[in-house]
Amino acid sequence: SGVSNEDRSLIETVIRSTGECLWVSAEPLLDAVTALSGSGPAYVFFFIEAMCRAGEAMGLSAEQAHQLAVGTFVGAAALARSSTESPAVLRQRVTSKGGTTYAAISAMEQAQMGTLFEKALEAARARAQTDESALEAVAINKVGRAHRREIAVPGEIGTLAVVDTLHQFGLDHRHRFARSIRRGRVPKRQ
């Protein structure tokens, strides 16, 4: 009969001890979760790399460029997380018409970076759809890597996508947890 409220509460308690959790209404949405969040750290690192290269090309040292690029992402992410305003509004608030940010955003829009980024995420989603073992691979094979992971918990009331580092748990615990959940059983407290 799906995931009971008690099991859901237990799962959320376990997962929230290591990061965030997100329930989605249907298992196919996990492909979108994988494309957006599971692969997301690579997108952030990609943009940080590009910002570092640009900073170095403009005369900054590698260390200076790295500090500024990473600091920019950390600060912007913190603001986006704490704000009630949309990312579009936040971007508009820091973009003065005719200013330096406006010039950079205009160049990105002319290059259709938004559209290219959307196509890239769709490619990731399509890949997740064709990879039958994508969720198992994420749960089991990315051992010890400090980046985001997902585990699917199927049930009639929804699917849980666990999003965040799980390396604090040993491989055996993750493997048992993921395997049990895939079989429709929620591990009991020990």
Side-chain angles (χ1 to χ4, degrees):
S1 69
V3 178
S4 71
N5 287 337
E6 181 181 337
D7 288 343
R8 182 177 174 140
S9 178
L10 172 62
I11 291 167
E12 288 177 357
T13 298
V14 170
I15 298 311
R16 286 201 170 106
S17 71
T18 64
E20 298 177 358
C21 67
L22 169 72
W23 289 87
V24 296
S25 60
E27 192 165 340
L29 292 174
L30 288 174
D31 298 327
V33 171
T34 298
L36 185 64
S37 183
S39 300
Y43 313 148
V44 172
F45 300 143
F46 181 86
F47 281 103
I48 289 173
E49 286 178 78
M51 290 174 70
C52 287
R53 283 192 307 271
E56 289 180 60
M58 292 184 279
L60 295 172
S61 71
E63 294 78 19
Q64 290 170 324
H66 182 266
Q67 178 183 346
L68 292 169
V70 170
T72 298
F73 268 86
V74 168
L79 179 59
R81 172 167 261 180
S82 67
S83 179
T84 59
E85 297 179 315
S86 71
V89 169
L90 294 174
R91 179 183 49 79
Q92 291 165 1
R93 290 189 186 281
V94 297
T95 306
S96 302
K97 185 89 170 164
T100 58
T101 306
Y102 181 82
I105 295 294
S106 294
M108 287 186 241
E109 287 174 342
Q110 288 174 357
Q112 298 183 336
M113 283 186 64
T115 300
L116 292 173
F117 196 72
E118 290 168 15
K119 287 180 180 179
L121 269 71
E122 178 54 37
R125 185 179 74 86
R127 176 67 179 134
Q129 289 174 330
T130 61
D131 187 358
E132 293 178 18
S133 63
L135 295 175
E136 182 175 353
V138 169
I140 297 169
N141 294 336
K142 292 186 177 179
V143 177
R145 294 185 187 169
H147 57 81
R148 300 170 92 73
R149 296 166 172 82
E150 297 97 27
I151 296 175
V153 181
E156 291 179 11
I157 62 170
T159 302
L160 172 70
V162 177
V163 186
D164 219 312
T165 57
L166 295 175
H167 70 278
Q168 296 165 353
F169 292 103
L171 170 62
D172 293 337
H173 292 107
R174 265 194 309 233
H175 182 70
R176 251 192 327 267
F177 187 74
R179 187 177 60 232
S180 296
I181 290 170
R182 280 194 306 278
R183 291 182 181 152
R185 295 187 309 265
V186 176
K188 299 296 180 196
R189 294 179 222 220
Q190 297 184 1

